[in-house]
Amino acid sequence: MTESDAEDRKPQSDEARSAFVPPSGVVTQAPPVEEESSTTSEFALPKGYGVAQPPVADPEGSAFSMPRTYSSRDAPPAFTPPAGIPRVDLVKDAPWQDRMRTMLRMPVADRPVPETVQKTEDEGPAVPRVLDLTLRVGELLLAGGEGAEDVDAAMFAVCRSYGLDRCEPNVTFTLLSISYQPSLVDDPVTASRTVRRRGTDYTRLAAVYQLVDDISDDEIEVSLEESYRRLAEIRRNRHPYSGWVLTLATGLLAGAASVLVGGDLIVFVAAVVGAMLGDRLAWLCAGRGLPEFYQFTVAAMPAAAIGAALTIAHVDVRASAVITGGLFALLPGRALVAGVQDGLTGYYITASARLLEVMYFYVGIVIGVLVILYFGVTLGAQLNPDAALLSTNRPLWQIGASMLLTLAFAVLLQQERSTVLVVTLNGGVAWSVYGAMHYAGGISPVASTAVAAGLVGLFGQLMSRYRFASALPYTTAAIGPLLPGSATYFGLLAIAQNDVDQGLVQLSKAAALAMAIAIGMNLGSEISRLFLRLPGAAAGARRAAKRTRGF
C-alpha cells in the first residue's frame, strides 16, 4: 500500500466533508443544468404541474385587445352597471322620436337592451352596412334643415332596429359620425359622412321620416336592401314644384307681407315684381357658383330699388311696405329657429354654426338693402322712418295676408300638398293671436310674438306625433308672418340716414323678435310633451336636466 492510498483512507474532517454530500461509492444522477434566471409571477403554475401552459403574453398590448381568457360566445348582451341594470319602461305605442330621444338622454350603461325589430343575417347584423345606411339617413335629414337632436334620434332608431344597440351618433353642422362597440373588449367601429350640400325639400324630409318609422315598426319588415332601395328613390325624386313656381311663390310671399304691414294694391304689385326679380337674380348667381352670401345680397336689391324709385317718382304709396315685403322673402327664419333649438337642447357646436350662418345671411341682406337705400337717399328719396309708428287696423285683410304668406312659404319649402292646408291655417291662427295681443291688447310685440310662436310649436308637435312625421312642415311656414321684416328695414333705413343709434335700436328689436320666435317654438314643443305619455323611466323624470348642469 502506497502512501497516497493511505491518505485516501483517512477520515475526512467536518470542514472537508458536508453532511449533504453523498458518500463515495454511491451512484447519483447528475444535477440538471441550471437555466438562466427568469422572473416568475406568484400566480404562475409550478413547472411540475401537469397543465398546459398558456402562451406568453405580448410585452405591449392595446387597451381594446381582448383578454385571452375571454370568450365572445359567453359575453353578456349589454353593459352591466355596478348597481345592476335599472328597469326602464318604454311605451311601445309612443312615437319613435320620443322613445329614441329618451334613450339618447340616458348614459350608455343605463339604456335597456332592445329587441331587434328587423331581421338580420344568422351571424348577426352587417355592421358596416347598417352604419352606412344610418349615416345616409342622417345626411338627408340634416341637409333638409332638421334639428340636431331629431337627426340623432333618427340615426339611433335605425341602428337599434337592426340590432346595434351600443352605438353613439354624433351630429355637427357639416359632419355626421357614429361609433359602435360590440362589447367592452371589442374594438369600436366608427364611420363618418360629410354634408356638403343643403337644400330645403320637406317632401323628401317627410319620405325619410316615413322610412325611419317603417324601420322602427316591428310589424313592418324592411330589410337592409329594401332600405337602400327606398333611400335611393328618395334621392332621385324630383322636387314637387318647379323653379318658376318657386319664383311666383316668392313674389306672392313678398306681396302678402307688404299688405300685412299696411300696403295697398299698388304696393302689393310692386313687392311681387321686386321679389320675383330678386329671386331670378339669385338663381343666376347660384348657376354661376357664387356663395349664398352674395345670392342674398343681390336678391335684396330689387325690392329696395323699386321702393326707392316709387318715392323718387312721387307716387303716393308706402315705399316702406314694398321694401319690407322683399325682406320677408329673404329672412332665414328656419335656420334661426333650428340654431336656437340646437342650443337649447345642448348641441352647442351645431347651434353656433347655424347662428353664424344666419348672421352671414343677415349681413348679406343688410349690405344689399343699405347700398340701395344710400343711393336712394342721395337721389332725394323721401323715406320716412316714422312710418313704423303707423299702425294698421285691418284685421281681416291682415289675417288673409298672413294665410297667403304662409301658403307661399310652404310652397317655397317644397312641402307635401297634404300639409299645405294645415300649415296655412296654423299661420292664420298665429297671426290672429299676435294681432289680438299686440294691437287689441297693447302687449309688447316681443311677448306677443313669443306666445304666437309657442302656439305654432305646440300645434306642430302634436300634429307630428299624430302622423308620426317631422314637425317642420307644420311649423316652419307658420312662423312666416311673425318674422321681423319691418323692424329690420327701419333699422337699416335709420343707418342709411346717419341715425346709427335709432338703427341699432330697431335692429336690436328685430333680434329680440327673432329670438322670441325661436324660443317660443322650442317651448311650445316641450310643452306638447307634457300632455303626452312620456316614454321615460318609471319616475317620469326627464334625464336631460342632468346633462347640462356641468356635473
Side-chain angles (χ1 to χ4, degrees), residues 395 398-399 429-443 448:
Q398 288 179 323
I399 293 175
V429 171
W431 178 259
S432 300
V433 173
Y434 171 80
M437 294 182 64
H438 178 54
Y439 294 114
I443 303 175
S448 304

Side-chain angles (χ1 to χ4, degrees), residues 4 7 12 66 91 353 394 476:
S4 60
E7 290 292 336
Q12 301 291 329
M66 183 182 299
V91 181
R394 301 182 301 174
T476 304

Side-chain angles (χ1 to χ4, degrees), residues 485-507:
S486 58
T488 304
Y489 160 69
F490 287 111
L492 299 180
L493 177 59
I495 294 176
Q497 294 178 343
N498 293 325
D499 191 356
V500 179
D501 294 337
Q502 182 63 24
L504 293 178
V505 169
Q506 290 292 335
L507 291 179

Side-chain angles (χ1 to χ4, degrees), residues 18 71 108 132 172 199-200 214 224 237 247-248 253 273 281 311 326 330 337 361 370 450 452 497 509 519:
S18 172
S71 175
V108 178
D132 179 68
T172 59
T200 304
D214 292 342
L224 279 174
N237 283 344
T247 301
L248 179 61
L253 191 155
V273 174
L281 288 176
T311 304
L330 297 175
V337 173
F361 290 163
L370 273 181
Q497 294 178 343
K509 178 183 176 182
I519 295 176

Side-chain angles (χ1 to χ4, degrees), residues 329-524:
L330 297 175
L331 294 178
R334 173 54 203 162
L336 174 66
V337 173
V340 175
Q341 180 181 357
D342 289 341
L344 294 176
T345 52
Y347 294 83
Y348 300 113
I349 297 178
T350 307
S352 302
R354 288 187 190 273
L355 294 178
L356 184 62
E357 181 188 40
V358 171
M359 186 194 71
Y360 273 107
F361 290 163
Y362 266 108
V363 171
I365 296 172
V366 166
I367 292 175
V369 176
L370 273 181
V371 169
I372 300 300
L373 291 181
Y374 176 78
F375 283 104
V377 172
T378 304
L379 295 175
Q382 300 297 324
L383 299 173
N384 184 16
D386 295 333
L389 303 177
L390 299 177
S391 61
T392 56
N393 189 12
R394 301 182 301 174
L396 296 180
W397 280 95
Q398 288 179 323
I399 293 175
S402 66
M403 296 179 68
L404 178 60
L405 189 153
T406 305
L407 174 64
F409 203 174
V411 174
L412 286 176
L413 295 174
Q414 303 279 4
Q415 290 191 196
E416 292 180 303
R417 293 177 174 86
S418 59
T419 63
V420 171
L421 178 60
V422 178
V423 73
T424 300
L425 295 176
N426 196 13
V429 171
W431 178 259
S432 300
V433 173
Y434 171 80
M437 294 182 64
H438 178 54
Y439 294 114
I443 303 175
S444 68
V446 176
S448 304
T449 301
V451 173
L455 291 178
V456 169
L458 174 62
F459 177 77
Q461 288 294 332
L462 292 177
M463 285 299 298
S464 69
R465 278 155 178 75
Y466 174 72
R467 297 194 176 185
F468 290 85
S470 172
L472 295 183
Y474 303 102
T475 58
T476 304
I479 66 173
L482 305 176
L483 293 176
S486 58
T488 304
Y489 160 69
F490 287 111
L492 299 180
L493 177 59
I495 294 176
Q497 294 178 343
N498 293 325
D499 191 356
V500 179
D501 294 337
Q502 182 63 24
L504 293 178
V505 169
Q506 290 292 335
L507 291 179
S508 301
K509 178 183 176 182
L513 291 173
M515 291 296 294
I517 293 174
I519 295 176
M521 284 273 295
N522 183 262
L523 184 60

